[in-house]
Amino acid sequence: MNPGVEQLSLLATDEPAHQPATDAVRLLLFNAQHASPQRSRRQAEWIAGQEDADIAVLTEVSSTQGGDALVTALTERGYATVIAPRPSTPDYRTVIACRTGEVRPVPSPVTVTAHRAPAARVTVGGHTIGVLGLYVPSRGPKKQRNVAKRAFQKAVTESLPRLRATFLDVPVIVAGDLNVIERGHQPPHKVFGEWEYAFYDSFQAAGLTDAFRHLHPDEIAHSWWGRSGNGFRFDHLFVSTPHAVGVLACDYHQEAREAGLTDHAVMTLRLGLPSPKGGQGEAAATRSG
């Protein structure tokens, strides 16, 4: 089986049913930090309680018991479809969990470690959207410094035009922990090379807009902090540029990190969908400023 398209579906419990939005895509990005089974279940409970988590993209999910516990707990919490690729050798993976309409996994366009880059075609309120989750490797051990990271980034960059072609004119969302920062990041971090900044730039070159920067062009925001206390904006959400006008909100939230559920900020996105009369699904007045 292609590890990029494995799908698990289980029956949910009898808890009150969550009502997904039909006029907007509500997506949450969460770094699972290779959690233990116990913390994974707490993560799933927290995620399921978030209004903006109709679609949840989870990065740094382990391929062992903790990751399996997270997948099971999400299904028990009402996520009828969980796309949970299994790597052929122990590695972190990315998971896409949905409690929306119809969900269909599609082959990952990323040819290197595809379990870090699952893709899906999701129906929200009668509209089709494409979703790609990404978890870029860290720099790795000294003897293999940046080898896996470079290979994965190269594969992602090459895949982005194919991703847009796969979904044609429908909205596309790319969500993930990219382990890179943008040019002009504050504070600056000299450790990043031109090849890493070029990777961030490749999304715009492929017709994808940084949703957070679209709404907050000058805001300093961080999603992970190093031992020195310096912040990094590692977690990103991109929307196909023709549909960026529909971005109503895109923000970082620190509550889960402060509660010890993860070491990353959580990101949320609300993307309005066209109404039957041709307008956006939610009033423009609700757009985050």
Side-chain angles (χ1 to χ4, degrees):
M1 178 180 291
N2 185 329
V5 298
E6 180 183 347
Q7 178 177 343
L8 174 65
S9 296
L10 297 177
L11 294 176
T13 64
D14 292 331
E15 293 183 3
H18 170 84
Q19 296 300 320
T22 58
D23 60 352
V25 179
R26 303 190 301 192
L27 184 146
L28 180 145
L29 174 62
F30 188 102
N31 182 291
Q33 197 191 2
H34 54 271
S36 66
Q38 181 179 9
R39 186 156 62 105
S40 292
R41 288 187 283 269
R42 290 170 51 217
Q43 289 174 341
E45 180 180 8
W46 187 89
I47 291 167
Q50 305 306 303
E51 182 183 53
D52 281 330
D54 292 345
I55 302 170
V57 177
L58 299 101
T59 60
E60 201 174 338
V61 178
S62 75
S63 57
T64 56
Q65 292 180 343
D68 293 342
L70 179 60
V71 169
T72 299
L74 287 168
T75 61
E76 292 173 348
R77 294 283 176 178
Y79 286 88
T81 302
V82 179
I83 301 169
R86 288 191 176 277
S88 57
T89 58
D91 190 19
Y92 297 125
R93 51 183 169 158
T94 303
V95 167
I96 300 175
C98 299
R99 52 184 180 184
T100 57
E102 181 183 357
V103 181
R104 184 162 63 87
V106 299
S108 175
V110 181
T111 57
V112 174
T113 53
H115 52 273
R116 288 176 175 259
R121 188 181 298 272
V122 184
T123 300
V124 178
H127 297 275
T128 298
I129 64 165
V131 177
L132 175 69
L134 292 175
Y135 179 49
V136 175
S138 61
R139 293 178 174 274
K142 186 175 182 179
K143 291 183 179 180
Q144 291 289 316
R145 184 75 73 199
N146 289 325
V147 173
K149 186 174 186 179
R150 280 182 178 271
F152 187 78
Q153 288 186 354
K154 181 176 185 292
V156 171
T157 298
E158 293 173 347
S159 78
L160 293 177
R162 295 196 297 272
L163 176 72
R164 294 297 311 281
T166 297
F167 294 109
L168 296 176
D169 296 328
V170 307
V172 174
I173 299 170
V174 180
D177 175 358
L178 303 188
N179 270 312
V180 298
I181 58 175
E182 63 198 316
R183 298 181 190 274
H185 185 281
Q186 294 298 322
H189 296 291
K190 294 182 180 180
V191 68
F192 293 97
E194 172 59 27
W195 61 280
E196 290 166 298
Y197 292 116
F199 175 62
Y200 172 86
D201 294 342
S202 70
F203 290 85
Q204 181 176 355
L208 294 157
T209 293
D210 183 326
F212 179 79
R213 279 285 165 251
H214 178 71
L215 294 183
H216 312 284
D218 302 314
E219 183 175 332
I220 296 175
H222 304 133
S223 63
W224 185 81
W225 284 259
R227 294 179 181 178
S228 66
N230 288 329
F232 300 75
R233 193 167 82 93
F234 278 160
D235 299 83
H236 299 274
L237 284 164
F238 294 91
V239 173
S240 45
T241 299
H243 304 97
V245 66
V247 176
L248 304 171
C250 184
D251 298 286
Y252 293 91
H253 308 273
Q254 306 299 335
E255 294 86 353
R257 183 181 66 85
E258 292 168 352
L261 291 174
T262 173
D263 62 344
H264 282 241
V266 171
M267 283 196 82
T268 57
L269 170 73
R270 290 196 182 199
L271 176 67
L273 296 169
S275 67
K277 295 183 180 180
Q280 288 302 126
E282 291 187 14
T286 65
R287 188 169 293 154
S288 174

